[in-house]
Amino acid sequence: KTAFTIKTGKDITDTDKLVVRYDVMFDGVTAGNTYVNVATAKGSNTAEAKDKHEVTADSGEEPQLTMEKKAAKEQVKVGETNSYEIKVTQISRYVAAKNVVIRDSFDKTGAAYVRDTMKIVDSQGKDITKDVIITYTEHGFRIDTKRDLGYNEFFKITYDMEYTDASLAGQTLMNQAAASSDNTKEAGTY
């Protein structure tokens, strides 16, 4: 219930005082959000009076990111392309991870991201690729989502990599991913 009304049925003078005390249960709210409680009073012959109090929810929990990374193939040959999927999920119940950042990197030259295959979708299946900032480096990329992740919300990133340099033949290429936010520790695949 989000509201209630008290009808006193009595006349109250300027020297009378009516005190109402009640508890509010914050269930299913997100920590860090501010909630406003507004009280109003009105008599049949008075103007309405209002007062408000703001409460910021704090669950005592910290947000926690988990990360999964999958490759279509475990081994590739020079000249082949491999497809990857990264899923970043926030698993703490009453908090949100703020401004989530996802990074991916590899340790050798000779491989390259196929940039036009990069796709980022949110938990509702909405393609948000054009709404995020993707920065490519010589050995990786960084995605600044500019978005928060609430409980069980996730981002799924898919992309392809080309293995073009003959020097990669017989080599193991380390490809690592990590995710962090303004208020979480880093989660990664190493």
Side-chain angles (χ1 to χ4, degrees):
K1 199 168 184 178
T2 59
F4 63 88
T5 302
I6 297 173
K7 294 184 179 185
T8 65
K10 306 254 182 213
D11 293 335
I12 298 175
T13 69
D14 59 350
T15 60
D16 292 327
K17 184 177 186 180
L18 176 65
V19 176
V20 178
R21 291 175 202 227
Y22 56 94
D23 293 324
V24 176
M25 172 69 104
F26 288 93
D27 188 27
V29 300
T30 300
N33 287 352
T34 299
Y35 300 89
V36 180
N37 184 340
V38 178
T40 59
K42 182 170 181 354
S44 59
N45 62 345
T46 64
E48 183 176 85
K50 284 188 178 186
D51 196 8
K52 70 178 181 177
H53 180 73
E54 294 183 0
V55 175
T56 301
D58 179 7
S59 70
E61 282 188 274
E62 291 185 10
Q64 183 178 354
L65 297 174
T66 62
M67 176 174 263
E68 300 172 54
K69 184 171 182 177
K70 300 177 192 174
K73 301 181 243 179
E74 289 299 315
Q75 292 186 352
V76 293
K77 295 178 182 171
V78 173
E80 290 184 335
T81 300
N82 201 3
S83 298
Y84 292 89
E85 177 182 290
I86 298 170
K87 184 177 179 184
V88 178
T89 307
Q90 197 287 114
I91 60 170
S92 294
R93 188 172 171 108
Y94 296 112
V95 291
K98 305 287 185 184
N99 297 314
V100 175
V101 174
I102 300 124
R103 290 177 308 287
D104 190 81
S105 63
F106 52 94
D107 67 342
K108 293 180 176 63
T109 58
Y113 296 100
V114 182
R115 293 182 184 195
D116 63 351
T117 64
M118 181 72 67
K119 183 176 179 181
I120 301 108
V121 295
D122 65 15
S123 305
Q124 288 75 44
K126 180 182 176 193
D127 185 341
I128 61 169
T129 308
K130 293 188 182 331
D131 302 330
V132 302
I133 299 169
I134 304 171
T135 307
Y136 291 95
T137 64
E138 184 180 359
H139 291 284
F141 65 76
R142 175 186 167 114
I143 300 170
D144 290 280
T145 68
K146 303 178 292 180
R147 293 173 184 244
D148 303 341
L149 284 178
Y151 177 58
N152 275 344
E153 292 180 335
F154 62 84
F155 296 122
K156 190 182 296 183
I157 299 98
T158 54
Y159 62 92
D160 292 343
M161 280 186 73
E162 294 178 315
Y163 299 87
T164 56
D165 195 308
S167 68
L168 291 175
Q171 298 288 315
T172 299
L173 182 73
M174 293 297 296
N175 183 228
Q176 302 173 344
S180 60
S181 75
D182 291 351
N183 59 337
T184 61
K185 295 177 181 174
E186 183 174 88
T189 62
Y190 301 100

